[in-house]
Amino acid sequence: NAGVTQTPKFQVLKTGQSMTLQCAQDMNHEYMSWYRQDPGMGLRLIHYSVGAGITDQGEVPNGYNVSRSTTEDFPLRLLSAAPSQTSVYFCASSYSSASGANVLTFGAGSRLTVL
Amino acid sequence: AQTVTQSQPEMSVQEAETVTLSCTYDTSENNYYLFWYKQPPSRQMILVIRQEAYKQQNATENRFSVNFQKAAKSFSLKISDSQLGDTAMYFCAFNTGANNLFFGTGTRLTVIP
């Protein structure tokens, strides 16, 4: 059981380049999300999906695009990278526990540097 | 607005001692869930403990326990018998039954040998 798999783990881009961060989960979770982590700011939600074909914006969606064609995959696209998008990105999926709490399982993170 | 505040950017504790990390939150919801996540140098986010707001009993997971004060909107994490492997960033977070988590800014804990 691999859990949540993110690729690549590290990436360096030049300003204006585009790229896709991949995320896959094998737990059959309906909900998936992307967060970014910046120093001193905790994790902030970029986009999320409650199921295949359904996506929505989080707190900081500008400059990012997502799609959810399958339950397993939730890629994050940077359309035209900017230095402000230098960050660590986390993908997560979640299930509902018996108590009703939605427990997120995180990937290992992807460190992106935009020069 | 949903907010989470961790007022201690850094803390340290001697190995085998006890340390408490503070967290306060603000929400108008009555039903919600609280979490502590650990992020070691490996960067992986690891769930430490969770608390359902409708439960009065404080959650406990081995050496980790919480002090949940609903009226004060406080959710502190106590680590007993601290170990070197507890050195990490600790994030307090909550959600209101939806899936999205609101995070605090984290507390960097260092366990001193």
Side-chain angles (χ1 to χ4, degrees), chain B residues 43-112:
Chain B
R43 204 170 64 198
Q44 180 74 50
M45 294 290 287
I46 302 166
L47 178 64
V48 174
I49 197 166
R50 72 171 187 255
Q51 173 80 42
E52 292 80 1
Y54 60 81
K55 291 187 177 178
Q56 292 186 338
Q57 186 174 5
N58 289 325
T60 299
E61 288 287 344
N62 300 316
R63 298 183 294 108
F64 299 88
S65 61
V66 299
N67 183 6
F68 173 48
Q69 301 289 329
K70 190 172 183 179
K73 295 182 180 176
S74 171
F75 182 61
S76 60
L77 174 69
K78 185 172 81 171
I79 305 174
S80 304
D81 185 26
S82 296
Q83 301 176 358
L84 296 179
D86 295 334
T87 292
M89 283 288 288
Y90 287 82
F91 291 95
C92 178
F94 86 101
N95 67 23
T96 58
N99 290 275
N100 302 336
L101 277 177
F102 296 92
F103 284 88
T105 53
T107 296
R108 185 178 302 279
L109 176 68
T110 301
V111 179
I112 302 168

Side-chain angles (χ1 to χ4, degrees), chain A residues 5-72:
Chain A
T5 302
Q6 287 182 237
T7 57
K9 286 186 167 46
F10 301 93
Q11 183 73 49
V12 178
L13 290 177
K14 294 181 179 179
T15 297
Q17 287 185 317
S18 62
M19 76 155 299
T20 300
L21 297 175
Q22 301 290 346
C23 177
Q25 54 96 4
D26 60 0
M27 299 172 285
N28 202 32
H29 290 170
E30 288 297 321
Y31 177 85
M32 297 185 73
S33 55
W34 278 100
Y35 290 83
R36 60 178 287 173
Q37 182 180 21
D38 301 297
M41 299 189 72
L43 278 74
R44 293 180 294 166
L45 182 67
I46 304 171
H47 284 286
Y48 65 97
S49 168
V50 297
I54 305 169
T55 64
D56 207 345
Q57 296 180 351
E59 181 183 358
V60 287
N62 292 340
Y64 306 96
N65 203 358
V66 293
S67 60
R68 185 91 179 272
S69 57
T70 67
T71 299
E72 294 78 18

